[in-house]
């Protein structure tokens, strides 16, 4: 992870709360962002992620808690006095100004000498790979180029933290993928801390060093993308990030991280049971579709007899819906075309013991 090499965090939020009338938008959020880290706030609409970003920017003042930036409490500091800048989803470029003048606008307003502004603009044109485009107007650029102009303008005053509000939402899928890689490259070259707000799980997983998943004003889990995906902490996180199967189970025995559960379709072995599972009699297990093996070898663990419901071709692989004897439906991913899996076909599957994750119970809200 970029910026994970020790030292004090660049950003620290301590119990931040914010309400609008009777609605609590941010409910006691605490988190840290390291220097040079690409951090993502991920969650559905209305979960509080945009309000939290606006609190960091200084556009909203928290009702309680503290915003610590580079060791200084900036909770009541106005936006223009914070070493923070924000890139808006709309880009908000001035259509009548050239690319170069758009990028340098804030520096001119700051009163920097003309030569210093020109030098900084040239540096940012190179950084954003916009060389030779400084004289063009925004309407003469592609969507990806306009995004990079907005990014360069946001970086012009060298903020310690750059906030990105759904930065790729306005782009089509192909352009979004290429621009995402450019965004990561700029962040790595610059070494600055970026915090992105998004509802797009794929965007967060592919871009961020760490992700905070939000729900109803609170943080459900913070971790690296692989941790969020492979070891979701709650049912909400498991269901929001990627496809998932849920299996209701009862804990029978536990030794170390290995545990045995009883389900409606028989016993299950799981090799990643958390410590708290020892105190629970009933819980939910989560299993990603790629962890359901079709036609496994005879010695595979957690074998089950199943019937194919249907299959959908996804390009190079198929998603197969299955029904177990209890009536539980599972989704599996398998190589090849959907024609390999016929409705009502009887098959044997196995549920990967290393892929079964016990989920923490829902907390009272």
């Amino acid at each position: 992870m970029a910026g994970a090499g020790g030292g004090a965090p660049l950003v620290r939020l301590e119990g931040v709360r914010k309400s609008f009338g009777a609605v609590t938008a941010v409910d006691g959020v605490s988190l840290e962002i390291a220097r040079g880290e690409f951090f993502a706030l991920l969650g559905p609409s209305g979960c509080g992620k945009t309000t939290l970003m606006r609190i960091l920017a200084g556009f909203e003042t928290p009702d309680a808690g503290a915003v610590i930036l580079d060791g200084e409490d900036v909770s009541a500091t106005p936006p223009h006095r914070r070493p923070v800048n924000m890139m808006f989803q709309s880009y908000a470029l001035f259509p009548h100004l050239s690319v170069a003048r758009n990028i340098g606008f804030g520096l001119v307003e700051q009163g920097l000498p003309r030569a210093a502004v020109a030098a900084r603009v040239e540096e940012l044109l190179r950084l954003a790979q916009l060389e030779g485009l400084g004289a063009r107007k925004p309407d003469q650029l592609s969507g990806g180029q306009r995004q990079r102009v907005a990014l360069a303008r946001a970086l012009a005053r060298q903020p310690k933290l750059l906030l990105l509000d759904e930065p790729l939402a306005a782009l089509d899928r192909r352009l979004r993928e290429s621009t995402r890689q450019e965004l990561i490259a700029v962040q790595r070259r610059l070494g600055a801390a970026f915090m992105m707000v998004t509802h797009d799980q794929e965007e967060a997983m592919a871009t961020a060093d760490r992700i905070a998943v939000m729900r109803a004003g609170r943080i459900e889990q913070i971790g690296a993308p692989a941790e969020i995906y492979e070891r979701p902490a709650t049912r909400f996180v498991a269901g929001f990030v990627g496809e998932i199967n849920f299996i209701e189970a009862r804990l029978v025995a536990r030794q170390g991280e290995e545990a045995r559960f009883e389900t409606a379709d028989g016993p299950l072995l799981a090799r990643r049971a958390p410590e708290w599972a020892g105190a629970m009699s009933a819980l939910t297990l989560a299993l990603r579709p790629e962890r359901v093996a079709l036609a496994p070898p005879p010695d595979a663990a957690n074998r089950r007899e199943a019937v194919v419901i249907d299959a959908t071709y996804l390009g190079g692989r198929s998603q197969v819906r299955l029904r177990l004897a209890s009536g539980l439906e599972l989704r599996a991913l398998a190589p090849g075309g959907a024609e390999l899996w016929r409705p009502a076909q009887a098959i044997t599957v196995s549920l990967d013991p290393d892929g079964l994750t016990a989920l923490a119970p829902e907390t009272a809200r």
Side-chain angles (χ1 to χ4, degrees):
M1 180 187 74
L10 176 66
V11 176
R12 188 169 74 252
L13 302 183
E14 299 177 347
V16 170
R17 297 180 184 274
K18 181 66 179 180
S19 296
F20 298 96
V23 177
T24 300
V26 177
D27 191 4
V29 167
S30 297
L31 62 82
E32 294 182 351
I33 300 174
R35 300 173 191 276
E37 181 175 20
F38 204 131
F39 192 90
L41 282 178
L42 173 66
S45 297
C47 71
K49 58 187 186 295
T50 298
T51 300
L52 193 59
M53 179 182 64
R54 289 177 60 83
I55 288 172
L56 269 169
F59 299 138
E60 302 286 353
T61 302
D63 300 328
V67 179
I68 312 298
L69 182 58
D70 204 12
E72 180 184 354
D73 189 336
V74 297
S75 305
T77 303
H80 67 277
R81 293 183 56 195
R82 298 188 185 196
V84 175
N85 211 343
M86 187 168 172
M87 184 177 133
F88 295 94
Q89 182 178 337
S90 65
Y91 303 156
L93 299 176
F94 299 112
H96 62 291
L97 297 183
S98 68
V99 166
R101 291 182 65 192
N102 262 285
I103 294 173
F105 182 83
L107 301 176
V108 172
E109 291 293 302
Q110 196 177 3
L112 264 64
R114 182 178 299 179
V117 172
R120 179 63 176 156
V121 168
E122 284 300 316
E123 178 186 359
L124 288 163
L125 287 170
R126 288 193 301 273
L127 181 72
Q129 297 182 334
L130 293 166
E131 299 100 319
L133 302 180
R136 293 191 186 182
K137 299 289 180 62
D139 63 1
Q140 297 174 306
L141 303 177
S142 69
Q145 288 169 335
R146 287 195 293 272
Q147 192 259 8
R148 280 180 277 153
V149 174
L151 178 62
R153 185 179 64 181
L155 293 170
R157 296 176 65 173
Q158 299 179 300
K160 293 180 180 179
L161 175 67
L162 181 64
L163 304 173
L164 305 161
D165 180 17
E166 302 274 6
L168 308 178
L171 307 178
D172 62 51
R173 182 176 179 84
R174 177 170 293 184
L175 185 56
R176 190 162 62 242
E177 290 176 356
S178 61
T179 305
R180 182 173 64 206
Q181 296 306 314
E182 293 169 358
L183 183 64
I184 295 170
V186 169
Q187 192 265 343
R188 294 294 186 256
R189 288 197 297 268
L190 192 67
F194 283 19
M195 191 189 82
M196 175 177 69
V197 165
T198 182
H199 67 275
D200 187 324
Q201 56 180 281
E202 180 181 325
E203 183 175 300
M205 297 281 286
T207 307
D209 297 313
R210 286 191 305 144
I211 299 169
V213 182
M214 290 193 68
R215 176 193 183 194
R218 301 180 185 177
I219 290 180
E220 292 268 319
Q221 185 175 359
I222 299 177
E227 179 184 353
I228 295 289
Y229 185 81
E230 296 288 348
R231 294 198 174 208
T234 66
R235 188 176 183 125
F236 173 79
V237 174
F240 188 77
V241 180
E243 298 289 330
I244 198 75
N245 295 300
F246 293 117
I247 304 169
E248 301 308 315
R250 181 173 59 86
L251 180 66
V252 176
R254 184 177 185 279
Q255 183 175 5
E257 283 201 344
E258 187 169 289
R260 294 188 178 277
F261 297 90
E262 189 62 41
T263 74
D265 290 286
L268 274 182
L269 170 68
R271 297 199 179 102
R272 300 193 313 182
E275 291 183 5
W276 58 260
M280 302 294 294
S281 58
L283 43 72
T284 300
L285 299 174
L287 185 69
R288 299 292 179 187
E290 60 268 25
R291 298 284 196 157
V292 179
L294 306 184
D299 61 346
N302 297 335
R303 288 166 63 88
R304 295 285 189 272
E305 300 306 315
V307 173
V308 174
I309 300 173
D310 55 37
T312 304
Y313 183 61
L314 302 177
R317 60 180 181 170
S318 297
Q319 179 175 271
V320 184
R321 284 201 306 144
L322 309 161
R323 182 178 291 111
L324 302 187
S326 68
L328 176 67
E329 291 188 9
L330 297 178
R331 283 167 289 181
L333 288 177
E339 70 278 358
L340 299 175
W341 313 103
R342 303 181 307 277
Q345 176 184 357
I347 63 171
T348 300
V349 303
S350 70
L351 313 184
D352 185 356
D354 293 313
L356 284 162
T357 300
L359 301 177
E362 292 290 310
T363 56
R365 292 185 173 274

